Amino acid sequence: MFVRYSFAIGHLLLPRPSQNTLEIKILSPLQEASRRAREREDQGVITGPISCPRSRGDVECHRNHLRKMQMSFGGEWNPAALSLGIWKPVVVEYYAVAVLRDIDVAINRNDTHWTMDCRAFLSSLASEDFYARLVVYANELFDERLVLEKQVVSFESPVVEFKIHIPKDRVTLWWPNGYGKQKLYPVHFSVKCYASEEGPSLSSRTESQKLLKIGFRTIQLVEDKDDIGRTFYFRVNGHPIFIKGANYVPAHTLPELSADADKVEYLLKAAHDAGMNMIRVWGGGLYESDNFYNLADFYGLLVWQDMAFSQAAYPLANDFVESVCLETVQNAQRLSYHPSLALIVTNNEIELFLATNKSDFGENATQVEADYKALFFDRIVRELKVITRKDFSPRPGPMISTPSLGIAESGQNPEDNLQSPNYGDVHIWEDKDGFSPETYPHARFVSEFGYASLPIMSSWQRALGDGADGSSEEIAALIRSRQHDPKGFIPMLQLIAYQLPFVPQTWDKNIEKFIYFSQVAQAMTTKTAIEVFRSQRSGSHTMGALVWQLNDVWVAPTWSCIDFYGNLKLVYYWAREFMAPTSVIALYDSNSDSLNITLSREDFSEHSDSKLYSVLLNTYLWTDLVAKKTIARAFGLGSNGIEVRHIPLEYLLYENHSKEEIFLEVVLEDEQGEFVARNFFYPVPLKNIEGIKDPRLTLEVSGQECKSAPYANSFTLRITVRSPALLVYLELTHPDYIKEQHRFSTNGFTQTQPRKTVHLVFENDSKCMALTTSHIRVQTMNQYLI
């Protein structure tokens, strides 16, 4: 499914009035995977034990024998859905000599000029060399069109190579989100191909065209040696970038629906709005649509591109390798020009899989390892050279596997500690107390970590369908059936139990509470992890973290930040704060019984712009909306700076009140006293809080008047409390509107002021909506602690 197939049909076409029919024979992927596995076993091709996904739900095996989206066979968070058929358009192309297929534009610069190092890849059925006339238009970059006449093209390797030099003062840089603008230049390429040096004849006048949007940037992966290992960070335009982002899975479990333009844009815009600057296209999915990468360019989201191989031993069979090589070249040529493309990784977790499952391969272990190297180190890396350059590196990589020891230490031996925190990238999947900062390793780059939660109640009700009664029993049964984690609910319930007042044995008796607690736990632990990683940025120790996962393929207990219907979980709302470019971080250090206050700026300024900030630490009792104590600290911080202050916790306590009775609000202000960021610190697990009261929360909803379309459909929620309200959680319950895309301006917040305003906005402006207080469900942690 990852290969473009082209067939010459001119000699088969029937003239009018005859009908031409295209017939395609479609085989069962389940039966074909099994057949190929048996056939290759008979041929002596070794792949070890049967490759079956880990899951409590139904799965199908032998996924490693088909070049198909690997998640189609099922897994820990998704269903088995072995779709079959033609999943992209079938078209008839007419051309006499050759047609322009893709253009690779590699960007380089020197002291005076930028260079567009271009390769125009042509498709041709010619049996001898031919000629091409290529014209390039880019009004913003150069005044006159560039014309290349009579370019001789090899029929064996039909590529036209050329360079375009542009003065530096004509170019505005492309930056990742949060570091600058994403300037893109339209560049139009037009090619005419002809067989004779005399020029195009009437029968060979085919002209093919491509319009690309080019971003000018340089990017390197810096792996410098230091006193503990090697750094691992991305440097864009000479500037170190702290990576904040998420792993992206196909937008639908059926691949033909994964490129839905509205859904893809919704998800990538959501990533941008949350302050993310990188998306990892996970290797268990697919190579995404052109629209996906265009949007990544537009929103400043660097793309970590896994190739579509994941956690398996793949067959070193001739037909398989031939297909994989074609897949590699075609997708590399298609994607290479995008400024967002930061790194290509040839597989997800295969080296880790081979190292940790070596005993399962028995006497074949050595051969499986050798075949792995032959396929990925030799063949695939060699094919990726089609987009490399000899005199400069357009982008890092390729990197062989993730997690890894990086590129510089690329292991020839899978038994190396691929999860070493001192090199490369790591994946963190340990059932520990995710609320504790001490849980997280001081790794160089965390390319995968996360915590599971449940989607909101209305999503479960929609998933049941119109024929269901929506009872708690039905919803509980659906939740159970869609829990595919081999460990079941144990990790989620254990995580909740660390901090929250919840009896795990009775989750199905109070599903709303379970949903709320699961999302709170996911948000709090993800926030803690990201803040730990950001606080270790000094000295380029830790330089990136990608949350697993941004999106989802169905309504289920998964690790997503946004559920299948586009509803935002609490972790997403919180991400807009803990991924903000300028943040204040408060982490407890148990060794010194102190609070580490970290002020971090992750941005770019061409000139020195040191700014003054104030950090206010307000000590509250759970009984009162007025802070009982305030400690102020001044910070001076320049662009991309970080500073840490250690404050003994005893300084922050109030009189003779215990840790259980207080909490801290940490406020960051600029030198004009304007609010910049806020954080909260709870000295004890939430379930151990003492003295908390009923906040006597009231909610008022006001909105638009229905006068004329388009309708704003924006509502104001005024929330009033009499005492601190812990983790206020808002959910829309209107039966007619829950299917409409909407978002709150904030959610899951702790309210310390008497009145707070929250905005609820719907995307649909074609009909007028009306809401009342009864259409908003409100939960707070207070109600479960009193």
Side-chain angles (χ1 to χ4, degrees):
M1 68 176 283
F2 305 128
V3 169
R4 178 183 62 253
Y5 293 93
S6 299
F7 305 97
I9 60 171
H11 61 294
L12 300 173
L13 292 178
L14 302 175
R16 277 193 250 178
S18 300
Q19 290 288 323
N20 290 283
T21 303
L22 175 66
E23 292 186 0
I24 300 172
K25 183 179 181 181
I26 299 172
L27 305 177
S28 159
L30 180 59
Q31 294 177 7
E32 185 66 9
S34 298
R35 185 194 67 78
R36 293 188 186 190
R38 292 192 303 270
E39 181 182 87
R40 287 164 180 161
E41 184 178 2
D42 294 341
Q43 295 170 350
V45 177
I46 297 170
T47 57
I50 295 176
S51 180
C52 303
R54 294 176 65 249
S55 174
R56 292 179 76 226
D58 293 334
V59 298
E60 304 296 347
C61 301
H62 303 298
R63 64 178 172 82
N64 52 334
H65 289 272
L66 286 188
R67 289 312 295 138
K68 186 171 182 61
M69 187 168 76
Q70 298 288 270
M71 61 177 269
S72 296
F73 291 74
E76 298 177 1
W77 52 271
N78 62 293
L82 278 167
S83 62
L84 66 165
I86 306 302
W87 72 293
K88 287 190 175 182
V90 176
V91 298
V92 176
E93 296 178 326
Y94 171 78
Y95 55 90
V97 179
V99 64
L100 178 61
R101 186 66 67 194
D102 292 298
I103 300 177
D104 171 23
V105 180
I107 300 296
N108 196 17
R109 71 175 175 185
N110 57 28
D111 292 338
T112 60
H113 284 75
W114 285 90
T115 297
M116 296 169 55
D117 191 319
C118 305
R119 292 177 180 174
F121 297 104
L122 307 174
S123 287
S124 176
L125 297 174
S127 57
E128 57 185 28
D129 292 352
F130 56 92
Y131 298 88
R133 180 179 188 269
L134 192 144
V135 182
V136 185
Y137 304 85
N139 293 337
E140 292 184 71
L141 295 173
F142 40 89
D143 298 324
E144 301 292 332
R145 66 178 185 169
L146 173 72
V147 180
L148 300 175
E149 299 278 8
K150 296 184 179 180
Q151 300 295 301
V152 179
V153 183
S154 166
F155 74 95
E156 295 178 325
S157 178
V159 182
V160 179
E161 299 188 37
F162 57 98
K163 296 182 180 180
I164 305 173
H165 303 288
I166 303 166
K168 287 181 70 174
D169 58 7
R170 294 287 297 259
V171 170
T172 298
L173 294 176
W174 182 96
W175 286 96
N177 184 31
Y179 287 83
K181 295 181 179 179
Q182 291 77 51
K183 175 63 178 176
L184 296 169
Y185 292 91
V187 182
H188 184 270
F189 299 85
S190 175
V191 178
K192 284 186 178 180
C193 296
Y194 46 96
S196 169
E197 188 178 4
E198 297 175 0
S201 66
L202 194 62
S203 62
S204 63
R205 63 181 184 273
T206 310
E207 181 176 9
S208 50
Q209 307 174 38
K210 282 275 185 181
L211 176 63
L212 307 184
K213 292 187 176 180
I214 303 299
F216 287 81
R217 60 94 182 100
T218 61
I219 184 167
Q220 298 91 30
L221 180 62
V222 182
E223 296 182 278
D224 293 337
K225 283 189 173 181
D226 59 17
D227 55 353
I228 62 169
R230 286 186 183 271
T231 62
F232 187 96
Y233 68 90
F234 293 89
R235 186 160 55 200
V236 178
N237 301 325
H239 187 75
I241 304 293
F242 185 85
I243 297 297
K244 297 168 289 191
N247 289 262
Y248 185 95
V249 303
H252 202 284
T253 196
L254 300 179
E256 65 273 20
L257 301 180
S258 66
D260 180 83
D262 290 340
K263 189 160 190 175
V264 171
E265 176 153 24
Y266 176 81
L267 292 171
L268 293 189
K269 183 178 185 299
H272 167 273
D273 292 348
M276 299 182 188
N277 55 33
M278 178 175 275
I279 288 291
R280 175 184 170 219
V281 179
W282 170 63
L286 43 76
Y287 306 93
E288 293 291 334
S289 64
D290 290 341
N291 181 53
F292 175 96
Y293 300 99
N294 290 336
L295 288 168
D297 295 342
F298 178 79
Y299 286 120
L301 298 170
L302 294 169
V303 174
W304 170 309
Q305 177 70 53
D306 284 1
M307 295 182 66
F309 301 88
S310 183
Q311 275 190 340
Y314 290 87
L316 198 68
N318 290 338
D319 60 336
F320 187 88
V321 174
E322 181 181 350
S323 174
V324 163
C325 289
L326 184 59
E327 165 191 330
T328 301
V329 169
Q330 288 184 356
N331 284 286
Q333 290 175 351
R334 178 172 70 95
L335 305 180
S336 57
Y337 79 88
H338 288 280
S340 58
L341 184 62
L343 180 68
I344 295 177
V345 183
T346 67
N347 70 76
N348 168 64
E349 294 188 347
I350 296 183
E351 287 191 20
L352 184 64
F353 169 79
L354 296 180
T356 55
N357 295 279
K358 190 169 186 177
S359 59
D360 294 340
F361 294 99
E363 61 184 15
N364 295 324
T366 301
Q367 184 62 51
V368 169
E369 184 180 314
D371 289 352
Y372 166 76
K373 292 177 181 177
L375 180 60
F376 289 95
F377 282 82
D378 299 336
R379 297 304 302 272
I380 290 179
V381 167
R382 188 168 70 205
E383 298 297 338
L384 284 171
K385 290 182 179 178
V386 70
I387 58 169
T388 62
R389 301 295 189 275
K390 291 183 180 179
D391 53 340
F392 73 99
S393 298
R395 71 197 61 80
M399 194 163 79
I400 301 300
S401 191
T402 175
S404 72
L405 299 178
I407 297 175
E409 299 283 338
S410 184
Q412 299 297 315
N413 180 9
E415 291 186 354
D416 292 340
N417 180 14
L418 299 172
Q419 294 278 49
S420 170
N422 300 325
Y423 298 87
D425 68 307
V426 301
H427 294 183
I428 301 176
W429 295 109
E430 296 183 15
D431 296 331
K432 294 183 178 179
D433 180 2
F435 296 90
S436 171
E438 298 170 0
T439 293
Y440 302 99
H442 292 195
R444 296 302 200 173
F445 194 103
V446 182
S447 50
E448 196 175 297
F449 84 98
Y451 298 93
S453 70
L454 298 173
I456 61 176
M457 179 65 80
S458 61
S459 291
W460 291 106
Q461 292 166 340
R462 289 177 66 182
L464 280 172
D466 295 334
D469 61 19
S471 65
S472 295
E473 291 76 13
E474 272 193 317
I475 293 175
L478 182 60
I479 292 173
R480 286 193 191 92
S481 70
R482 294 197 173 185
Q483 173 55 277
H484 279 203
D485 187 343
K487 298 177 182 177
F489 291 100
I490 293 175
M492 193 188 304
L493 293 171
Q494 282 183 336
L495 188 70
I496 292 171
Y498 281 120
Q499 279 271 343
L500 308 179
F502 192 63
V503 180
Q505 294 83 357
T506 61
W507 69 262
D508 53 350
K509 305 300 181 187
N510 196 336
I511 295 173
E512 287 183 10
K513 181 179 177 181
F514 187 25
I515 290 171
Y516 171 53
F517 278 24
S518 73
Q519 289 203 20
V520 166
Q522 180 190 36
M524 291 184 71
T525 50
T526 305
K527 172 180 179 290
T528 299
I530 292 290
E531 292 184 337
V532 168
F533 302 141
R534 291 183 73 175
S535 69
Q536 296 167 0
R537 181 167 62 88
S538 180
S540 300
H541 190 103
T542 300
M543 285 296 289
L546 302 176
V547 177
W548 181 270
Q549 61 208 71
L550 179 69
N551 55 310
D552 223 334
V553 299
W554 66 339
V555 178
T558 75
W559 292 257
S560 71
C561 301
I562 304 173
D563 78 19
F564 177 65
Y565 294 122
N567 295 307
L568 308 176
K569 294 183 178 179
L570 286 189
V571 67
Y572 176 86
Y573 284 106
W574 286 29
R576 295 188 301 189
E577 297 182 359
F578 63 67
M579 289 189 178
T582 301
S583 292
V584 61
I585 298 167
L587 295 169
Y588 179 63
D589 183 349
S590 61
N591 292 325
S592 59
D593 193 29
S594 63
L595 199 61
N596 293 341
I597 302 297
T598 303
L599 182 56
S600 181
R601 277 185 65 188
E602 292 145 23
D603 58 5
F604 170 74
S605 177
E606 191 171 350
H607 306 289
S608 177
D609 71 335
S610 183
K611 298 179 179 179
L612 294 177
Y613 296 92
S614 295
V615 173
L616 307 177
L617 293 98
N618 299 316
T619 303
Y620 283 86
L621 294 177
W622 286 110
T623 56
D624 202 335
L625 291 173
V626 178
K628 299 301 181 184
K629 184 176 182 180
T630 297
I631 293 178
R633 292 289 185 270
F635 286 75
L637 205 61
S639 175
N640 218 41
I642 184 169
E643 186 174 346
V644 184
R645 302 280 179 87
H646 309 281
I647 302 177
L649 193 58
E650 62 180 346
Y651 291 1
L652 303 169
L653 298 177
Y654 174 63
E655 293 182 346
N656 60 344
H657 292 277
S658 66
K659 295 179 183 180
E660 288 78 8
E661 296 174 292
I662 71 158
F663 67 98
L664 300 175
E665 179 191 44
V666 187
V667 179
L668 179 65
E669 296 179 348
D670 62 19
E671 56 185 324
Q672 284 78 40
E674 296 294 325
F675 172 84
V676 177
R678 175 183 283 110
N679 210 329
F680 286 94
F681 173 71
Y682 310 107
V684 298
L686 302 190
K687 63 183 179 182
N688 296 335
I689 287 172
E690 295 178 1
I692 198 166
K693 300 194 304 185
D694 179 355
R696 295 163 68 184
L697 185 148
T698 60
L699 172 68
E700 296 178 27
V701 177
S702 60
Q704 58 168 2
E705 295 181 7
C706 297
K707 293 183 178 179
S708 61
Y711 303 105
N713 287 325
S714 176
F715 298 87
T716 299
L717 282 59
R718 293 184 180 86
I719 302 170
T720 303
V721 296
R722 300 293 183 87
S723 60
L726 176 59
L727 303 176
V728 180
Y729 176 63
L730 306 170
E731 182 180 354
L732 178 69
T733 61
H734 193 296
D736 297 330
Y737 300 161
I738 57 174
K739 295 183 180 180
E740 301 288 349
Q741 212 77 71
H742 64 277
R743 68 173 62 191
F744 297 95
S745 57
T746 185
N747 210 343
F749 51 88
T750 293
Q751 185 168 336
T752 57
Q753 64 269 50
R755 294 177 183 82
K756 184 178 180 67
T757 299
V758 177
H759 299 287
L760 170 60
V761 178
F762 291 85
E763 290 190 4
N764 188 343
D765 61 2
S766 62
K767 64 180 181 181
C768 186
M769 300 180 184
L771 286 181
T772 67
T773 303
S774 63
H775 298 135
I776 306 293
R777 179 186 296 121
V778 183
Q779 294 183 74
T780 69
M781 195 61 65
N782 301 56
Q783 70 196 70
Y784 302 114
L785 289 171
I786 296 172

